[in-house]
Amino acid sequence: MPNNWSTEALSKAVGNGLLEGFKEKSGTFIKPSDPLTRAQMATIVNRAFGAKGTANLTGVKDVPQKAWYTAEMQKAVKMGTMKLDSKMRPNDPITRQEAFTVLARAFKMADGTMANLEKFSDKEKVSSWAVSSLGALARVGYIQGADGKLNPLSKITRAEFAVVMDNMIKEYINKAGTVTQVHEGNLMINVPDVILKDITVKGDLILGDGIGEGNVSLENVIVKGNLIARGGGVDSIVINGGSIEGKVVIAKVDGQIRV
């Protein structure tokens, strides 16, 4: 793995199970400079949020029934991160603006404007349908561009996407149990039966799809950012003490949720 700007983010992506290498005769390779395909991105986002639910892809012409990515595309449609279309283009490289839009949908961030993109010299190249998503991500610093440009129409590489994911999620809790210490930054819980106790989340707390109808408890927890709830049931997200200093965003795809 190259020792450059993306090494730490790539290492985290591998360690968190988001990225898997390509196994070849001479070894296993991450291929950081390769363009990310739409199916690969769907898979990474599904893993990050613990997505399990699947949608019916009836009418989709380019997702074979037994392809490695079929279930992942079904999950992405169910999550609402990718739109159902007759052609999902799973093997096509995904552009930067498409990738950022997928992430904005996952995080329920679609309230940006062209004003949020003012510092980028190529902002006029951003498609109208992507402005609200890219603006929202740029406003909070999740995407920062390079040399003053967003390059919205360029293909995003595996390394570039790993860096963006690291900007948006600093730590994953993917095992049940009680957690009393976390890193600084946005925190993702993507499994049920987790208790956060006596901690401060210095960022957003994301309750991922993998929680399903399961339980998550916050005991004397301070969340400095937003609470984004994509998983949980009607009576399964319980807060005892502490505070949510940002907004509570209910983002569950199916069923009801109450915090």
Side-chain angles (χ1 to χ4, degrees):
M1 188 178 293
N3 182 20
N4 59 19
W5 55 274
S6 63
T7 300
E8 182 179 359
L10 284 165
S11 295
K12 288 182 180 179
V14 173
N16 290 319
L18 304 185
L19 271 182
E20 294 181 356
F22 296 90
K23 294 182 179 179
E24 300 178 0
K25 289 183 178 180
S26 56
T28 301
F29 301 89
I30 293 298
K31 300 186 179 182
S33 299
D34 280 11
L36 191 73
T37 68
R38 291 170 57 82
Q40 289 169 352
M41 178 170 179
T43 301
I44 293 171
V45 175
N46 293 342
R47 289 171 178 166
F49 283 80
K52 294 183 177 66
T54 57
N56 193 315
L57 298 187
T58 299
V60 177
K61 299 177 181 178
D62 58 356
V63 179
Q65 194 170 21
K66 295 184 179 180
W68 71 263
Y69 49 75
T70 301
E72 302 300 341
M73 300 301 286
Q74 290 174 318
K75 292 175 187 177
V77 172
K78 185 71 171 181
M79 279 187 71
T81 53
M82 287 190 170
K83 301 292 186 180
L84 183 65
D85 200 334
S86 60
K87 291 187 177 181
M88 300 291 293
R89 299 180 289 120
N91 294 310
D92 284 4
I94 193 166
T95 65
R96 290 169 59 83
Q97 68 177 3
E98 288 173 338
F100 299 152
T101 299
V102 167
L103 288 175
R105 290 170 181 163
F107 284 81
K108 293 297 178 181
M109 298 177 66
D111 58 348
T113 66
M114 185 62 80
N116 301 130
L117 305 176
E118 193 61 37
K119 69 177 182 179
F120 300 107
S121 62
D122 60 348
K123 60 184 179 296
E124 298 301 332
K125 293 183 179 180
V126 177
S127 301
S128 58
W129 53 263
V131 168
S132 60
S133 296
L134 271 66
L137 268 60
R139 185 180 64 233
V140 294
Y142 290 153
I143 54 175
Q144 300 172 357
D147 298 323
K149 294 183 178 181
L150 271 174
N151 300 310
L153 304 179
S154 298
K155 302 169 185 176
I156 194 167
T157 67
R158 290 165 62 82
E160 288 170 341
F161 190 65
V163 170
V164 176
M165 287 296 292
D166 187 51
N167 288 341
M168 298 188 77
I169 307 173
K170 288 299 183 185
E171 186 173 359
Y172 296 83
I173 296 176
N174 49 27
K175 292 182 180 179
T178 300
V179 177
T180 58
Q181 187 174 0
V182 295
H183 295 98
E184 188 169 333
N186 293 349
L187 176 66
M188 167 74 77
I189 300 175
N190 56 22
V191 293
D193 300 321
V194 170
I195 299 171
L196 297 187
K197 187 173 183 180
D198 300 328
I199 61 172
T200 296
V201 178
K202 295 181 180 179
D204 293 344
L205 174 60
I206 305 108
L207 306 181
D209 302 59
I211 294 170
E213 301 294 316
N215 299 321
V216 171
S217 296
L218 311 184
E219 299 183 6
N220 192 31
V221 172
I222 297 173
V223 179
K224 291 290 186 179
N226 300 325
L227 173 64
I228 303 170
R230 292 188 57 101
V234 175
D235 297 305
S236 64
I237 307 300
V238 179
I239 300 176
N240 292 315
S243 62
I244 310 296
E245 296 186 5
K247 298 181 293 184
V248 176
V249 181
I250 304 299
K252 190 172 183 180
V253 176
D254 276 338
Q256 294 182 334
I257 183 172
R258 183 173 63 196
V259 177

